[in-house]
Amino acid sequence: MTEIDPTSAQEARPAEQVRLIALHDVSKTFGGTVAASHVSLDVQPAEVLALLGENGAGKSTCVKMMCGVHRPSSGEILVRGQPQNWHSPLDAQQAGIAVVHQHPGLFPDLNVMENIFFGRFPKNSVGILNRGLMYRKSAELLETVGLSVRPDAMLRTLSVSEQQLVEIAKALSTEADVLILDEPTACLSHREVEKLFTVVRRLKQSGVGIVFVGHRMDEVFGIADRISVLRDGALVRTATAQELSRQEAINLMAGRELLASFPERGHEPGDVVLQTEGLSVDAEFEDISLSVRAGEIFGIGGLVGSGRTEFATTLFGVHRPSRGQILIDGAPVDIRSPQEAMRHRIAYVSEDRHAKSLIMDFPIRVNASLAILRSCTSYGLLRPAKEISQTRSYLERLKLRFASYEQEISGLSGGNQQKVALSKWLATQPRILILDEPTQGIDVESKAEVHAIIADLARAGMAIILISSELPELIGMCDRIAVLREGRMTALFNGAEADPSTVLKAATDDASGSTVGDASPTEAAPADQTAARSSMRAFAESVFLRREMGLVVAILAIVIPVSLINPRMLSGTNINSLSMDAALLGFVALGQMLVILTRNIDLSVASVIGITAYASALFMHNNPQMPAIAALAVAMCLGGGLGVINGLIVAYGKVPSIVATLGTMSVYRGLYSMWANGDQISADEVPQHWLDLAGSQILGIPVIVLLSIATLAVAAFLLRRTEFGRELYGVGSNPAAADTIGVPAARRVFAAFAFAGVLAGLMGALWASRYATVDARVAFGYELTVIASVVVGGVAIRGGSGTVFGIALGVITLLVIRNGLSLVRVDPLWLQGVYGLVILAAITVDANIAARNERALKRRAL
């Protein structure tokens, strides 16, 4: 095996060739760990450069240096011959570098087209998002990458593989000079890979330089013009794809002779262990009947969205079947949860290791033992030594590369993370093991180790279901292969009979044999009627299955019975009082929503309301000749200043918001008490025009209500139709992805706290105007009501999700509950407890409708 100096190979190139991007003698160290050492490589126009190497070889480090995520410790990066000193990924994007990361940096709470254009939204002349243009361009890009979903579909309704295609569409939308694809095919099926490669070849013809990182040799040699092989952070060879054989590439990666082949298995499978009969889950898959025997590796193939993962998660109890049954050892079982599946000794290794298999901030020891914690305890106490002893053999067998068992899982490469996820479930010693893309993102040598373990487990009698998008893996590893298409099983092959063409044909061909355009005119009318019914159904779903409809139902469930008991519920006086209370609460609920959208919380809101209420009343007491609007301005400026303090501490001081605002809550309340010094400002100490501010009406509607409605409406429009609004949602949905794109998350968090302070100040002034008497106990404990109204209104505490309409309904729900309980004369001693129970009931109704909404969204995405 002959190695050549990679730099000499590059210097032998014609000097006139332009290097779109080049790494020149770059090194990168993290602490004492060398991730890349003196690497030199370049990308030319109209070529595909493939980077090969085992997990931890330095490929991702080189990619991250190219796209601005990491800065080299030494050496330099050149773009078209000019040295670059990037400070952020945004600098690289502006230089024409686009990247598709191994793990999509997307925003689950935004829709597909917003994800594609996040950070560079097209806007009209007045700065409003051009959603029509976004929709059209997104539809074109989705068609290009072969993803059949609506551009306005919520990203969270898509599978991992579909999200990967969205990430690719997003990169293509930048029209960059250099496109970096970091293992983009890891979770794509053969058909999607071919579509992607068609796009890559088209881009190459237009002069784009492409960096392709992958582990599948067929793909690498099918698309690459040149190949650079890295090992242990160093570049060992760069050669053309014609000069380098596949076996040589494998040997260069491993540093030794390594044969890439599937293990031989000659044992006979035993009795049927798992069986499904007509198993169906609405909108996911239909009528799947199959059986898996002890010692058998049963493969499931199909395209993205064919129902493979959904079938697997149903076996594991994540979803409940709509029809059909599951049998274990011939006896029907009702698996209602993953815990019940584990009791039946079923294990499931998810394709999405980040979200569903691992806890990224926990150490290797904890992640590897999560499924067997009971066996790692003594007298009820968890013993780290037992955790290690129970999992060491599996981790060693998978040749995990790690510093210690206490190393955080987030510090491992993608392939090593996958090994920990696999070892976690192997430690449970299951009878039935479901492996969903088990070798996704794993290098050649590690893949061979995983295949050997799978074969050993089958030989020991374990029934294994293997889901894979790699046809060679399915055919090389499986005794039988079932193929799914659009949720139905279209073929079942014995391993010896299967070949790539027949499996692919079963996954892609329409079993009905129908062709487009052969319908008769008499058949067209029913089709039109069906389309019309589908359109009407979609409209009905968009209206009646909205997230907020659960709150509407909850409100009606309270108003109707209370009105029958006490007609005062619907009296003009009661409605007027309720509307004013809701208007006041609406201001601060909106501010709290902005903060929670960014994954934070503001516990100081009631203190800000109190201090601004006193400030505005005191201002009018000392300046009775001033207009009421001046007192509003004073309160809003003071509230904004207090919000700025909160924002600085949280966004730039990096203090957790719950700690920071718990502290400022006490500080602001203390300052207020010291300032007031026991003083009380009453109605006879302020001018009448100040008191009239809250009580004034226009066309019989209180001005406060009109102002609140206008504020909420403007906020709803800005949050939905402006770049700032969508970025606020994105920062909460995925802060790390926002930073990677170059959106300043800290600024958005700071702005959210500042706006929340302004709105709390506005409410404080209006509170003082309405209730007239102001003392040190104004709004004491009110923060719980504010936060409850926002959460009840559907704003997710995790951030990134919620609507202004929802919080408005949440405010009304809370106030209607309290008002209704008072009108039916609930004993004051019981009021708070009953109030809490009714809130829980309302949330339950809302949650059930929200769950149906999610299923409807998923159907509409297709």
Side-chain angles (χ1 to χ4, degrees), residues 524-823:
D528 291 341
Q529 293 173 7
T530 301
R533 285 195 297 269
S534 298
S535 178
M536 292 176 63
R537 178 180 178 182
F539 175 77
E541 287 179 344
S542 67
V543 175
F544 296 108
L545 289 180
R546 286 180 61 88
R547 172 68 171 75
E548 297 82 3
M549 285 306 295
L551 290 173
V552 173
V553 172
I555 292 170
L556 292 176
I558 297 164
V559 169
I560 292 173
V562 171
S563 300
L564 294 175
I565 297 171
N566 190 340
R568 286 183 55 200
M569 182 77 180
L570 299 179
S571 68
T573 302
N574 191 57
I575 291 175
N576 184 72
S577 178
L578 268 176
S579 66
M580 293 186 71
D581 288 342
L584 288 174
L585 181 53
F587 289 118
V588 286
L590 173 61
Q592 191 72 226
M593 172 189 173
L594 297 178
V595 172
I596 293 178
L597 282 178
T598 64
R599 292 196 181 189
N600 290 287
I601 196 166
D602 184 4
L603 298 177
S604 70
V605 59
S607 299
V608 176
I609 293 171
I611 199 170
T612 54
Y614 183 78
S616 60
L618 183 63
F619 178 85
M620 293 308 301
H621 171 69
N622 294 331
N623 303 278
Q625 76 285 357
M626 296 293 289
I629 193 71
L632 284 179
V634 168
M636 292 170 70
C637 288
L638 177 58
L642 298 177
V644 164
I645 293 173
N646 287 338
L648 289 173
I649 297 172
V650 174
Y652 298 105
K654 304 300 181 183
V655 178
S657 61
I658 193 168
V659 176
T661 59
L662 184 63
T664 57
M665 175 183 72
S666 299
V667 170
Y668 297 162
R669 182 66 69 176
L671 291 174
Y672 174 25
S673 298
M674 292 170 60
W675 186 13
N677 195 26
D679 183 32
Q680 181 185 78
I681 300 176
S682 57
D684 58 358
E685 296 180 278
V686 292
Q688 186 61 41
H689 67 272
W690 171 245
L691 300 177
D692 292 340
L693 175 65
S696 59
Q697 297 184 348
I698 297 177
L699 300 177
I701 303 174
V703 170
I704 289 181
V705 174
L706 294 175
L707 180 60
S708 182
I709 292 173
T711 302
L712 293 174
V714 170
F717 178 82
L718 295 177
L719 285 173
R720 178 166 175 76
R721 298 299 301 273
T722 66
E723 185 174 50
F724 174 83
R726 303 322 291 165
E727 288 181 353
L728 201 67
Y729 277 88
V731 165
S733 184
N734 190 342
D739 285 333
T740 300
I741 292 171
V743 173
R747 291 185 200 172
R748 300 295 176 262
V749 173
F750 173 79
F753 276 100
F755 283 131
V758 171
L759 290 168
L762 174 60
M763 188 215 175
L766 293 173
W767 180 301
S769 174
R770 183 182 183 200
Y771 295 109
T773 301
V774 179
D775 59 24
R777 292 189 59 82
V778 167
F780 189 81
Y782 198 64
E783 61 276 346
L784 297 180
T785 300
V786 175
I787 294 170
S789 64
V790 174
V791 174
V792 169
V795 178
I797 289 293
R798 60 173 172 77
S801 178
T803 65
V804 174
F805 183 42
I807 65 163
L809 290 174
V811 165
I812 294 170
T813 301
L814 287 187
L815 295 178
V816 164
I817 291 172
R818 183 173 288 277
N819 182 252
L821 293 175
S822 298
L823 289 175

Side-chain angles (χ1 to χ4, degrees), residues 47-120:
E47 79 157 357
V48 177
L49 173 71
L51 294 184
L52 284 180
E54 295 183 349
N55 296 119
K59 306 185 303 298
S60 292
T61 301
C62 289
V63 164
K64 289 177 179 178
M65 286 191 288
M66 286 184 184
C67 65
V69 174
H70 296 326
R71 299 178 68 183
S73 302
S74 63
E76 60 182 355
I77 301 173
L78 301 99
V79 174
R80 295 186 180 275
Q82 299 299 314
Q84 302 294 320
N85 187 24
W86 291 329
H87 296 87
S88 73
L90 186 60
D91 293 339
Q93 292 173 31
Q94 293 172 346
I97 314 299
V99 60
V100 175
H101 292 286
Q102 180 179 356
H103 305 292
L106 300 173
F107 307 92
D109 297 297
L110 301 183
N111 62 35
V112 170
M113 64 183 182
E114 288 170 341
N115 270 277
I116 289 175
F117 288 102
F118 192 87
R120 45 189 179 77

Side-chain angles (χ1 to χ4, degrees), residues 301-628:
L303 304 180
V304 172
S306 63
R308 302 173 307 173
T309 295
E310 292 75 12
F311 174 73
T313 52
T314 300
L315 295 178
F316 193 58
V318 176
H319 305 294
R320 294 200 64 186
S322 306
R323 292 169 299 282
Q325 61 180 346
I326 302 171
L327 301 93
I328 295 180
D329 295 326
V333 294
D334 185 13
I335 301 176
R336 296 169 176 248
S337 68
Q339 289 73 26
E340 289 190 17
M342 292 172 65
R343 282 195 287 271
H344 288 289
R345 296 182 65 190
I346 300 174
Y348 169 64
V349 180
S350 170
E351 65 172 339
D352 187 357
R353 59 176 174 264
H354 277 199
K356 299 177 182 177
S357 289
L358 301 170
I359 304 175
M360 303 307 293
D361 295 331
F362 279 23
I364 294 169
R365 167 180 56 81
V366 175
N367 274 282
S369 63
L370 277 173
I372 54 166
L373 289 179
R374 288 188 178 181
S375 63
C376 300
T377 60
S378 294
Y379 303 103
L381 298 177
L382 193 63
R383 302 295 184 186
K386 282 194 172 184
E387 289 181 284
I388 294 171
S389 65
Q390 294 279 357
T391 58
R392 178 190 286 116
S393 61
Y394 298 101
L395 294 172
E396 290 179 349
R397 179 68 183 276
L398 289 169
K399 295 186 177 179
L400 182 72
R401 296 183 180 181
F402 64 106
S404 75
Y405 287 102
E406 300 305 318
Q407 180 182 354
E408 282 190 6
I409 202 79
S410 58
L412 299 180
S413 66
N416 283 313
Q417 290 174 2
Q418 187 79 328
K419 292 178 185 179
V420 176
L422 179 57
S423 68
K424 176 184 73 173
W425 288 109
L426 292 181
T428 67
Q429 299 181 349
R431 292 184 65 207
I432 302 165
L433 178 62
I434 305 170
L435 301 171
D436 196 348
E437 304 285 5
T439 60
Q440 179 176 293
I442 290 180
D443 59 60
V444 175
E445 185 171 9
S446 299
K447 188 177 293 188
E449 293 288 341
V450 172
H451 287 158
I453 283 190
I454 293 172
D456 288 346
L457 293 171
R459 194 175 296 112
M462 188 181 297
I464 296 174
I465 296 176
L466 174 62
I467 301 172
S468 177
S469 297
E470 293 190 50
L471 292 181
E473 182 173 65
L474 278 177
I475 295 168
M477 288 295 299
C478 299
D479 299 294
R480 290 185 296 157
I481 301 170
V483 181
L484 304 188
R485 180 184 181 276
E486 296 181 357
R488 291 183 175 272
M489 194 168 82
T490 58
L492 180 63
F493 300 100
N494 288 324
E497 301 172 350
D499 62 71
S501 62
T502 56
V503 173
L504 187 60
K505 181 179 176 62
T508 57
D509 284 358
D510 189 346
S512 66
S514 63
T515 58
V516 176
D518 61 356
S520 66
T522 56
E523 295 171 319
D528 291 341
Q529 293 173 7
T530 301
R533 285 195 297 269
S534 298
S535 178
M536 292 176 63
R537 178 180 178 182
F539 175 77
E541 287 179 344
S542 67
V543 175
F544 296 108
L545 289 180
R546 286 180 61 88
R547 172 68 171 75
E548 297 82 3
M549 285 306 295
L551 290 173
V552 173
V553 172
I555 292 170
L556 292 176
I558 297 164
V559 169
I560 292 173
V562 171
S563 300
L564 294 175
I565 297 171
N566 190 340
R568 286 183 55 200
M569 182 77 180
L570 299 179
S571 68
T573 302
N574 191 57
I575 291 175
N576 184 72
S577 178
L578 268 176
S579 66
M580 293 186 71
D581 288 342
L584 288 174
L585 181 53
F587 289 118
V588 286
L590 173 61
Q592 191 72 226
M593 172 189 173
L594 297 178
V595 172
I596 293 178
L597 282 178
T598 64
R599 292 196 181 189
N600 290 287
I601 196 166
D602 184 4
L603 298 177
S604 70
V605 59
S607 299
V608 176
I609 293 171
I611 199 170
T612 54
Y614 183 78
S616 60
L618 183 63
F619 178 85
M620 293 308 301
H621 171 69
N622 294 331
N623 303 278
Q625 76 285 357
M626 296 293 289

